[in-house]
Structure formats: structure tokens, C-alpha cells
Amino acid sequence: MKFTKMHGCGNDYIYINGFTEKIPPEKKPELVKRISDRHFGIGGDGAIFINPSEDADFEMEMFNADGTRAEMCGNGIRCVGKYVYDHKMTDKTEISVVSAGKVKYLTMTVENGAVSTVRVNMGQPVLEPEQIPVISKKETVVDEPIVVNGKEFKMTCVSMGNPHAVVFVENVKQFPVETIGPYFENHENFPNRTNTEFVEIVDRTHMKMRVYERGTGETLACGTGCCASVVAATLNGLIDGSAKVEVLGGVIEVTWDREENQIYMTGPAETVFEGEINV
């Protein structure tokens, strides 16, 4: 099986061309677990199959490193845009990509014949608890207390096609993300588990974020997490709807257009290497 290793701000996935590589659906979860292993496989935060689609130009079929399906990945979808353009599967710089039934629209910036950055219309943030999903009796979960591993935190919950719990902290560098993250992910208040963002507000246009991703662990970046963090910070009055989000692997720019109620995310997409592995 041929593959391409790509990343967006260090959030790395193994990309497989579903047009040419025919992997039976029932074999994909175990295959993804094997190739995502950083010691015995290719190594990555998961795998993404780029497939034909009747609903968009392409389909993104995404799996976490543990072999579970995921609905959306902001860094992943930017790399899908780069993949299909750089591999000459399209000559358009504006394309549509569907993931888990939701269509997103991408605009690629091309330099020297290859895509360098991608802007994605990530659509509307979802704030209704039952649609995120998160268990709550409130209409929206904003600055709501939650007890995790015996300690109370305040969380704001958003779905960007996948669930996020955003927690604001004073010093994100020193925060024990790898210790607390699993307790959030598997907390009883999240029926489908959750991604958790730990966010430090630097000023009204700049924030620092670390993320514990559902099914993967701490990663260097999370595009949907950056989007959810900007929404959460705006709802809490900490920023004004737009910010540069500094993650461990780089910087992602996010704007929440309140009039359109659309989230726009811009960031890099890079190819690491290509190869072939026996499956």
C-alpha cells in the first residue's frame, strides 16, 4: 500500500489514496492502529483515506490512532487539500471535502506549484449540549463547572463536527495535560468521549493551546480544537472573535464571523515523506 505522511503544525497523519488503494472497510481500524504506531509502524496521530464522493469533490475518511473513526480534523483536512492538488487529482484551488457527512470548503494558496497554506470554512460552531454531545441541563455549556479526577474545572463545550471541552488555564506550559486529559476524554458527561483544549489567553488576539485528542492523546496541534477555543474564548468575553492560536507545532489563525456564524481557519500543510508498506 502506498502512503504519504503529512502534517499541519505537527499534527501528523498517514494519507492513503482511496481511489487507487482498495482496503476493505472492516480491515481499516486494525490497519490504522498498526501503521499509526510510532515504534512498529509508520507513525502518526491517525490515518486519513482520501476517497471519491458524490457529495463533494473528495471524501475525507478519518481514523484516530486507536483505530476509531473521527468526524473531523482541521489540520487533516488542510493536508487533504494539499494532497489532492500536489498529486494532480485536481487543478482547482477551491474545492469541497466531505467528512462524516459534513461538507467543508477549502481555498489553497499555491507557491512554486505546491500548496503552502489552506483556508477552510469550518462552518458553524455547535453549542447545543445534546448535539456536541455533553450532558448538561443548560442551553449552552459556557464556563460550566465540572469535577475531573477530584478537582473542579470550568469548561466551555463546542462541537466543530467533533466534541470539544475548552478549559482556560493560567500557564498552559506547566499544565499536566497528559495526566488530566484522559480523565476529561472518558468523563461520564461526554457520551462520545471528548477532545480537551487547555488554553492560556496571552492577549485579545493571541492564545496558547495544548490539546488532548480523543483516541490519540496529546498532539502538537488540533485544527478543530483551535476553532473551538476561539469560539469558547469569544463566548467568555476573552477575545473578540479572532485570534492566532499558538500550538506546540506552530500557529493557526482562526476567525469566527459572527454575522455569518462561520468559522474560518488558516494554517500550513506539509508533506513529510512518501512510501510503501505491506498490508
Side-chain angles (χ1 to χ4, degrees):
M1 180 186 76
K2 294 181 178 180
F3 67 88
T4 301
K5 175 78 173 287
M6 306 181 75
H7 78 87
C9 290
N11 192 197
D12 58 340
Y13 289 89
I14 301 150
Y15 291 78
I16 299 148
N17 186 341
F19 288 77
T20 56
E21 303 291 344
K22 304 300 182 182
I23 308 297
E26 67 275 9
K27 292 187 177 182
K28 287 181 178 178
E30 202 57 42
L31 171 66
V32 170
K33 286 176 65 176
R34 180 163 65 88
I35 64 177
S36 297
D37 190 288
R38 296 190 184 276
H39 300 287
F40 298 102
I42 300 164
D45 291 328
I48 291 175
F49 295 83
I50 301 173
N51 302 324
S53 172
E54 296 181 356
D55 302 315
D57 293 316
F58 301 94
E59 181 200 26
M60 178 176 85
E61 182 186 10
M62 179 194 168
F63 290 82
N64 297 313
D66 65 357
T68 57
R69 279 297 305 273
E71 304 91 341
M72 174 50 61
C73 173
N75 292 309
I77 200 169
R78 292 202 314 274
C79 289
V80 169
K82 178 176 176 62
Y83 184 103
V84 297
Y85 186 90
D86 290 3
H87 285 80
K88 303 188 186 309
M89 296 169 71
T90 182
D91 59 0
K92 299 188 296 183
T93 56
E94 295 187 1
I95 64 170
S96 57
V97 177
V98 62
S99 179
K102 302 292 180 63
V103 178
K104 307 299 181 188
Y105 298 92
L106 285 61
T107 302
M108 278 94 78
T109 298
V110 178
E111 297 179 1
N112 300 318
V115 171
S116 57
T117 61
V118 181
R119 182 177 189 255
V120 186
N121 181 344
M122 295 293 289
Q124 298 181 359
V126 175
L127 303 176
E128 294 80 4
E130 64 275 7
Q131 294 184 41
I132 292 174
V134 56
I135 296 173
S136 175
K137 295 180 179 180
K138 297 183 179 180
E139 292 185 3
T140 58
V141 180
V142 177
D143 199 36
E144 183 168 318
I146 182 173
V147 177
V148 177
N149 194 30
K151 183 178 179 180
E152 183 176 285
F153 296 88
K154 296 290 186 66
M155 67 176 182
T156 297
C157 294
V158 182
S159 173
M160 292 303 307
N162 54 354
H164 295 272
V166 180
V167 178
F168 296 102
V169 299
E170 290 188 1
N171 188 326
V172 73
K173 183 178 181 179
Q174 296 181 1
F175 191 85
V177 172
E178 293 185 349
T179 301
I180 300 298
Y183 290 101
F184 264 97
E185 177 186 358
N186 298 291
H187 195 281
E188 61 184 5
N189 282 23
F190 303 104
N192 294 341
R193 299 185 293 166
T194 190
N195 303 284
T196 312
E197 286 73 37
F198 302 94
V199 179
E200 174 187 342
I201 301 297
V202 179
D203 57 42
R204 297 192 73 84
T205 62
H206 177 202
M207 62 177 69
K208 296 180 180 180
M209 184 193 91
R210 290 173 63 191
V211 57
Y212 194 92
E213 290 201 49
R214 175 185 59 168
T216 301
E218 184 174 13
T219 61
L220 297 182
C222 177
T224 55
C226 290
C227 296
S229 295
V230 166
V231 171
T234 303
L235 292 174
N236 282 277
L238 302 173
I239 65 170
D240 302 308
S242 182
K244 291 184 177 181
V245 185
E246 182 182 343
V247 293
L248 295 179
V251 176
I252 295 173
E253 297 183 30
V254 178
T255 296
W256 182 14
D257 188 318
R258 300 296 296 274
E259 289 187 8
E260 295 182 4
N261 194 25
Q262 300 288 307
I263 304 286
Y264 295 93
M265 173 195 64
T266 303
E270 299 186 30
T271 298
V272 184
F273 62 85
E274 296 187 337
E276 193 167 350
I277 188 171
N278 293 327
V279 297

